[in-house]
Amino acid sequence: MYQHKQNKVEKLLQEHDNVIQAIDSHPVSDYIAIGSYCGLLKIWDYIEKKEINTRAFGEGNEITALCYDKVGEFLAVGFYDGTILVLDSVSLETISGGEFSYAKARITQLAFSHDSIFLAATDHDDTTTLIKRTSDSNSEWSYIGRNKAHYKSIVNIIFGIALDSNVPRLLTLGKDRNLVEYDILNSTEDNLIVMSTDKIEQSATPVSCAWYPPINKEHFLLIANSEYKYKLLNATTKRCRRTLLGPTHGSFIQKIVNLGYPEDKHYLAFITEDKIGMTILPLDGNPHNTTALLAHCDGTNNLVACPRSKYLFTVGGKVCRMWEVNPEVLHATAALGGTGLVPFYELLEGGKRWSPGQGNGGVLLLLSDEIPVCCYY
């Protein structure tokens, strides 16, 4: 939007006029960063509903990925041409030495380690890039290396923390069914070392992963696959410890994220091809513990959860939508589905039905009443 004033053109408003793919929430403040294919980066205060800052990179600089570090000091930006910029999160200016152009394909995901020392990226060539912060005082970053550890698309890149230590871990999950962990501490310049590669699926395709909240004694990595199932993998051995039924809302899950609200309970948010949903944790396969609704008719591109509040954001097409979480409604719906094994009887054909003509209208028959012995192979 422009205004003509004294033979001069003054810009009043500039909005996204192309596909929005990149979005991330500030870890401390009530800010949301949104980047689109028109090269426009905007920071919004989602509580006050006002714009905080804007930077226009111009046509031909399509923004494909965004990520804040864990304290909100830096904002990493990935572009369609493979360039990665590390910006000051307040001024949106590129920090000294914060431009990296080693990738030659579209940046798909960015992730910071918990201590904000490492920055990792994946691109459309199925390659992982690692960048390291070399100076705390001058905020200098340096390139470590790249590795093409997958032969199909990488669906997730995730940092974790080693058990009983503060050492960061870097893992990538690919459509080749491989979970790859990198030895980032011993990697040197131009040499990103692969520590281990584990095949985690046989027929299904993994589509997303997230760290399972610490509600069990065992530490898990949660995997969602294309067969509408969740898998809990031991975070150390990477062996499958449990398989559960996932959401079945038209299409399989595209992305899963943990909710930080409320602090005393745990929930999982997810998106499918066009829906947004929420699941009560711990996972048990009960379909009544999950709900979903239509988010974007033309497809949902991304999902982010605000770490300190009850809001979720999704993007699809040229639209960004803000959602408010209301866990009490989900718990009420789950209670209506029954307790114990009742919700699971409904998953079996013929597992629950009424036999008419007995007592007050009929008697409830269960599968176990008709089949005395069930064998599992």
Side-chain angles (χ1 to χ4, degrees):
M1 182 182 296
Y2 296 90
Q3 177 184 8
H4 292 275
K5 185 178 181 180
Q6 297 179 351
N7 297 326
K8 294 182 180 179
V9 177
E10 179 183 357
K11 183 183 293 185
L12 299 180
L13 181 66
Q14 183 176 5
E15 287 297 337
H16 302 282
D17 59 5
N18 210 327
V19 175
I20 301 175
Q21 183 74 37
I23 186 172
D24 197 22
S25 62
H26 197 283
V28 180
S29 303
D30 297 324
Y31 297 161
I32 190 79
I34 305 172
S36 66
Y37 275 25
C38 67
L40 182 63
L41 172 61
K42 279 201 170 191
I43 312 297
W44 283 88
D45 185 323
Y46 55 81
I47 299 298
E48 300 295 332
K49 305 296 189 298
K50 65 179 182 180
E51 181 182 316
I52 300 300
N53 204 351
T54 301
R55 180 173 175 181
F57 294 94
E59 294 293 336
N61 294 297
E62 301 94 336
I63 299 174
T64 57
L66 291 172
C67 185
Y68 279 104
D69 76 308
K70 302 308 178 184
V71 295
E73 182 181 358
F74 302 105
L75 176 62
V77 184
F79 293 88
Y80 198 92
D81 63 357
T83 300
I84 300 172
L85 297 182
V86 182
L87 312 180
D88 180 275
S89 65
V90 178
S91 65
L92 298 185
E93 295 296 325
T94 306
I95 65 173
S96 177
E99 181 174 351
F100 303 91
S101 301
Y102 294 92
K104 303 303 179 185
R106 169 171 56 93
I107 301 297
T108 55
Q109 294 185 63
L110 295 162
F112 279 96
S113 60
H114 72 284
D115 52 10
S116 301
I117 292 179
F118 293 97
L119 168 63
T122 59
D123 58 51
H124 199 59
D125 279 343
D126 316 325
T127 305
T128 304
T129 302
L130 183 65
I131 300 167
K132 184 179 181 181
R133 186 177 181 181
T134 56
S135 172
D136 292 335
S137 58
N138 298 324
S139 300
E140 296 179 354
W141 294 78
S142 63
Y143 166 76
I144 297 298
R146 287 163 50 81
N147 197 313
K148 188 177 174 65
H150 296 271
Y151 61 87
K152 288 186 178 181
S153 300
I154 299 174
V155 297
N156 249 122
I157 183 168
I158 186 172
F159 273 101
I161 306 175
L163 191 64
D164 299 327
S165 72
N166 199 41
V167 177
R169 302 172 62 188
L170 175 62
L171 301 95
T172 54
L173 178 66
K175 289 186 177 180
D176 55 4
R177 305 185 179 97
N178 286 331
L179 179 65
V180 178
E181 182 169 2
Y182 302 86
D183 187 358
I184 59 178
L185 295 184
N186 294 318
S187 296
T188 56
E189 186 173 356
D190 291 327
N191 183 27
L192 178 56
I193 301 172
V194 172
M195 180 185 297
S196 64
T197 301
D198 296 274
K199 183 76 71 173
I200 61 170
E201 293 283 1
Q202 293 181 336
S203 60
T205 301
V207 293
S208 187
C209 69
W211 293 111
Y212 198 65
I215 53 181
N216 300 86
K217 293 183 179 180
E218 194 172 358
H219 191 34
F220 292 118
L221 179 65
L222 177 63
I223 306 289
N225 67 26
S226 60
E227 294 182 349
Y228 302 90
K229 292 183 176 66
Y230 285 128
K231 281 191 173 183
L232 290 176
L233 273 60
N234 181 281
T236 302
T237 65
K238 303 184 184 69
R239 295 295 179 260
C240 181
R241 301 287 289 150
R242 197 175 184 188
T243 302
L244 306 110
L245 177 67
T248 54
H249 297 280
S251 63
F252 53 79
I253 286 176
Q254 305 289 331
K255 184 177 181 179
I256 52 177
V257 296
N258 287 301
L259 296 183
Y261 173 87
E263 295 182 357
D264 58 335
K265 295 182 180 180
H266 299 281
Y267 301 92
L268 192 72
F270 62 88
I271 54 172
T272 63
E273 184 176 327
D274 58 356
K275 295 180 177 65
I276 180 173
M278 180 177 168
T279 300
I280 300 173
L281 297 180
L283 296 173
D284 58 3
N286 184 349
H288 299 289
N289 286 345
T290 298
T291 187
L293 68 158
L294 185 66
H296 300 269
C297 295
D298 53 353
T300 307
N301 295 333
N302 207 344
L303 166 71
V304 64
C306 300
R308 302 183 307 107
S309 64
K310 55 183 178 180
Y311 298 108
L312 296 168
F313 288 87
T314 58
V315 291
K318 304 176 184 178
V319 177
C320 175
R321 289 194 171 133
M322 178 178 175
W323 306 83
E324 182 177 351
V325 175
N326 190 352
E328 289 76 14
V329 176
L330 180 56
H331 282 281
T333 303
L336 293 175
T339 59
L341 294 177
V342 173
F344 300 96
Y345 290 140
E346 299 176 354
L347 298 175
L348 301 173
E349 184 177 355
K352 175 182 178 181
R353 67 180 187 274
W354 286 93
S355 177
Q358 302 182 33
N360 295 326
V363 62
L364 179 65
L365 297 179
L366 300 180
L367 186 65
S368 57
D369 296 329
E370 301 179 356
I371 304 178
V373 179
C374 293
C375 299
Y376 297 90
Y377 295 93

